[in-house]
Amino acid sequence: MADADAVEATEIGSRGAEKTLAGALEAEVRRRRTFAIISHPDAGKTTLTEKLLLYGGAIHLAGSVKARRAVRHATSDWMEMERERGISVTSSVLQFDYDGYRINLLDTPGHQDFSEDTYRTLMAADSAVMLLDNRKGVETQTRKLFEVCRLRRIPIFTFVNKCDRIGVSPLQLLDDVESELGIACVPLTWPVTDGSQFLGVFDRQDRAIHLFDKGKDHGAQRAGTRVAGLEDPEVDELLGQVAAERLREEIELLDEVGTPFDLKRFHAGEISPTFFGSALTNFGVEPFLRRFLVDAPPPPPRTSSIGVIEPTDPRLTAFVFKIQANMDPKHRDRIAFARICSGKYQPGAMVTNIRSGKSLRLAEAQQFFGQDREAVEEAWPGDVVGLHDRGTLRIGDTLSSKGEPEFEAIPPFSPEHFARVQVPDPLRRKHLDKGLLELSEEGAVQVFFQDGGAGPAPVIGVVGPLQFEVLLHRLEHEYQVTARLDPMPYRDARWVSGPMREIRRVANAVDAALVFDRLERPLLLFRSEWVRQATEQREKGIELHRVATG
């Protein structure tokens, strides 16, 4: 009888624990917001990132990368090369709490040569903020990244930056975005000017003008604000009667004929809520942040090989979207960034790597704030954790505590620039091989091999040429290898399938070459896009693939 009572008590306790976990999962999922910022270079992405951290209370003094007005460097730029040049070439994960929400800000590379890293990061984001320069509108890199978001159906906010400088009229800019990207912008804030100076924003939800005080600290601290009604006499005095009347007319026009905001249409990717501001001076940042937290979606269900997995599913699932070696050069570490999709992470959690079938114990997961890190006691869907990796994890790996669900793979981009890598000192060849292996596994470059008289000669493939500079910089500073790159005359590439005899025949053409990736999959290099297209039309015995298969 006593044994039966004990079993019943255990079952009751188990059911109680399940209910407790289910309730906690629902609450934690509801308050999670995981997003990325996409932009063209120099649109102010790093500055906006810093200001969101500033208003979120995560930092108390924002560094200005652009102007170098402070000795502090941008919190999100941890690599030495980034700090030297004032650019972002890596993806950082910045996590902080604000107003009851847990925010996971996936800061992406701002340089177009690192679009592949941005694409991988967008796989882990639930929404995106499209940052536009008010003088330039939609630019090349913005357009490419917008298409990635559209393919994934990620809801997109728009933040029109640099409104403290004279630019395209707001109405014209919105028309340009709609015509170029095919998405309707719904302005939720509107710029307030006196004709020449940017003074604040009108919040269309609370029907109030937020007037900002421009401090003398160059935006290092939060901007002081005053709130006024649209019809307040103070507005006429401050803006001048002509500018005040123009503002009222613009708001009336938006109210009458503008696209109304609809949360369902936004989450479906049909409309983009739009905000105006200046990240440099902090104008308009806080109204955007507050509205973003309300309207951005919480972690959604994810499609897997065994069906849809809800974020409230009790099993722990995650996928690896980034690997970064040597974030701390003193410890020569290797961190795999994993996005939690369902369940709850706790130290010591046991999961299976679905690709390899091997079990892993997640003992010491970490969360990051730029270069600072701390141990994770728990993590929930939407959170990103750093896992110490000894070379067993790859980008795209699915981790699960139960069953064998596999999330969508993260395919590599076809490289567009190639170079042979040489090391003058043959004694450093092993160090070179180690560096290339680790850097390719984290996605910094792609490494291929071409038969040569002295054995396999490494060929580096990248999306943009600046990646070559980063490669040489990291080989020298992290692996103590001084290397040289010999450029190759190829500008297009495709993985290829078919009889190897046919593949080699095509590769022997004047304008093509053959290399193999680390999994020995053949890749054809072409001198130009035209050569590749002509080959594709002419050669019916082989098949070209933009993404590696098998």
Side-chain angles (χ1 to χ4, degrees):
M1 191 69 176
D3 290 343
D5 290 342
V7 170
E8 184 179 359
T10 301
E11 291 177 351
I12 292 173
S14 177
R15 288 196 295 270
E18 289 176 2
K19 286 184 179 180
T20 301
L21 176 59
L25 268 169
E26 287 186 12
E28 294 296 338
V29 167
R30 236 182 351 254
R31 75 185 195 97
R32 286 312 192 269
R33 298 292 184 269
T34 302
F35 73 104
I37 300 175
I38 61 173
S39 72
H40 195 80
D42 298 326
K45 181 181 61 61
T46 299
T47 306
L48 178 61
T49 298
E50 293 269 316
K51 299 315 173 69
L52 292 175
L53 298 176
L54 177 69
Y55 276 90
I59 58 176
H60 300 291
L61 181 66
S64 176
V65 182
K66 195 76 176 173
R68 295 278 189 252
R69 291 190 179 104
V71 295
R72 295 165 176 80
H73 298 289
T75 302
S76 55
D77 290 343
W78 59 267
M79 188 187 287
E80 180 184 351
M81 186 174 179
E82 293 180 311
R83 295 194 296 265
E84 287 175 355
R85 298 193 178 195
I87 58 172
S88 297
V89 299
T90 57
S91 297
S92 356
V93 181
L94 304 164
Q95 300 165 314
F96 59 98
D97 291 307
Y98 177 66
D99 201 23
Y101 292 90
R102 162 55 66 93
I103 300 169
N104 296 295
L105 199 170
L106 308 179
D107 185 31
T108 56
H111 202 283
Q112 67 261 35
D113 286 2
F114 298 85
S115 54
E116 186 173 4
D117 202 18
T118 303
Y119 175 78
R120 288 191 293 264
T121 300
L122 287 171
M123 297 292 286
D126 299 329
S127 61
V129 176
M130 179 170 64
L131 186 65
L132 303 179
D133 185 322
N134 79 322
R135 296 167 298 174
K136 301 175 182 177
V138 178
E139 299 175 84
T140 306
Q141 180 69 356
T142 315
R143 192 177 296 107
K144 289 180 181 178
L145 296 175
F146 175 84
E147 288 305 322
V148 173
C149 293
R150 171 170 277 171
L151 286 172
R152 284 210 57 232
R153 297 183 178 178
I154 298 175
I156 300 173
F157 294 86
T158 298
F159 187 91
V160 180
N161 194 27
K162 301 187 179 182
C163 290
D164 54 320
R165 304 176 185 179
I166 296 175
V168 179
S169 77
L171 289 171
Q172 181 63 53
L173 191 141
L174 297 184
D175 285 343
D176 291 345
V177 171
E178 186 164 357
S179 62
E180 289 199 42
L181 301 181
I183 189 170
C185 289
V186 182
L188 300 186
T189 66
W190 194 253
V192 176
T193 73
D194 63 1
S196 60
Q197 294 188 66
F198 180 50
L199 303 176
V201 295
F202 176 75
D203 189 316
R204 294 182 64 204
Q205 184 180 35
D206 63 18
R207 311 301 294 179
I209 298 175
H210 296 260
L211 300 168
F212 299 96
D213 297 325
K214 191 171 183 178
K216 298 180 180 180
D217 56 6
H218 306 293
Q221 299 182 58
R222 296 168 60 138
T225 60
R226 290 171 291 153
V227 178
L230 193 59
E231 302 299 331
D232 286 359
E234 178 189 5
V235 174
D236 292 76
E237 294 175 13
L238 188 64
L239 306 186
Q241 191 170 359
V242 174
E245 282 304 316
R246 184 174 63 248
L247 172 64
R248 294 183 182 109
E249 289 172 1
E250 289 173 342
I251 299 303
E252 184 178 0
L253 180 65
L254 292 173
D255 291 343
E256 290 182 359
V257 301
T259 302
F261 178 73
D262 181 277
L263 192 62
K264 288 183 178 179
R265 291 190 66 198
F266 165 53
H267 285 179
E270 297 174 6
I271 60 175
S272 177
T274 302
F275 302 80
F276 292 82
S278 165
L280 186 66
T281 61
N282 303 334
F283 287 14
V285 174
E286 191 167 29
F288 161 69
L289 178 59
R290 290 188 178 280
R291 188 64 188 261
F292 166 82
L293 294 174
V294 174
D295 292 338
R302 292 242 168 191
T303 302
S304 78
S305 57
I306 62 171
V308 173
I309 294 182
E310 297 289 338
T312 52
D313 190 312
R315 86 183 93 185
L316 173 62
T317 64
F319 69 90
V320 176
F321 69 92
K322 178 178 176 62
I323 294 175
Q324 183 75 55
N326 303 325
M327 287 189 73
D328 184 352
K330 295 179 182 177
H331 296 94
R332 310 290 296 175
D333 60 353
R334 175 183 161 108
I335 301 294
F337 289 93
R339 151 73 191 244
I340 307 295
C341 297
S342 69
K344 177 185 179 183
Y345 164 82
Q346 289 179 299
M350 292 298 299
V351 296
T352 299
N353 182 341
I354 305 303
R355 173 185 56 81
S356 66
K358 294 181 179 179
S359 295
L360 297 173
R361 184 172 180 269
L362 308 181
E364 297 180 352
Q366 297 180 323
Q367 286 179 332
F368 293 82
F369 188 79
Q371 204 169 9
D372 298 328
R373 60 179 77 185
E374 62 180 29
V376 176
E377 296 303 320
E378 62 180 32
W380 304 86
D383 288 345
V384 172
V385 297
L387 307 173
H388 285 283
D389 176 35
R390 296 180 179 178
T392 59
L393 294 175
R394 296 180 188 170
I395 291 173
D397 278 355
T398 298
L399 309 177
S400 176
S401 64
K402 183 180 179 182
E404 296 186 355
E406 191 163 15
F407 296 118
E408 181 184 358
I410 303 178
F413 274 36
S414 296
E416 298 174 10
H417 301 269
F418 300 87
R420 289 189 183 88
V421 59
Q422 308 282 356
V423 56
D425 183 357
L427 297 178
R428 306 302 293 175
R429 177 57 192 262
K430 286 187 176 180
H431 295 78
L432 172 67
D433 291 342
K434 181 176 186 291
L436 292 180
L437 175 63
E438 292 184 354
L439 292 173
S440 64
E441 286 177 342
E442 72 176 63
V445 295
Q446 295 185 54
V447 179
F448 306 95
F449 295 93
Q450 188 175 34
D451 295 338
V459 172
I460 306 303
V462 297
V463 174
L466 185 57
Q467 287 178 270
F468 285 139
E469 293 186 44
V470 173
L471 170 67
L472 295 176
H473 180 91
R474 294 189 64 183
L475 285 174
E476 180 181 355
H477 289 83
E478 297 174 19
Y479 300 94
Q480 290 71 56
V481 174
T482 300
R484 185 184 76 247
L485 294 177
D486 297 330
M488 300 173 71
Y490 305 108
R491 291 295 176 268
D492 205 347
R494 289 293 186 271
W495 277 271
V496 57
S497 59
M500 186 51 66
R501 179 183 297 178
E502 288 296 302
I503 294 173
R504 289 192 181 278
R505 180 183 61 78
V506 174
N508 287 333
V510 176
D511 294 327
L514 176 65
V515 295
F516 297 86
D517 64 18
R518 289 196 176 276
L519 298 180
E520 298 186 354
R521 296 173 297 197
L523 180 82
L524 281 174
L525 312 184
F526 303 96
R527 280 184 178 266
S528 67
E529 182 182 3
W530 183 87
V531 173
R532 190 258 303 163
Q533 290 175 340
T535 302
E536 212 162 9
Q537 293 172 0
R538 184 179 67 249
E539 302 293 342
K540 303 304 181 184
I542 62 174
E543 191 172 351
L544 303 183
H545 311 276
R546 184 175 181 83
V547 173
T549 57

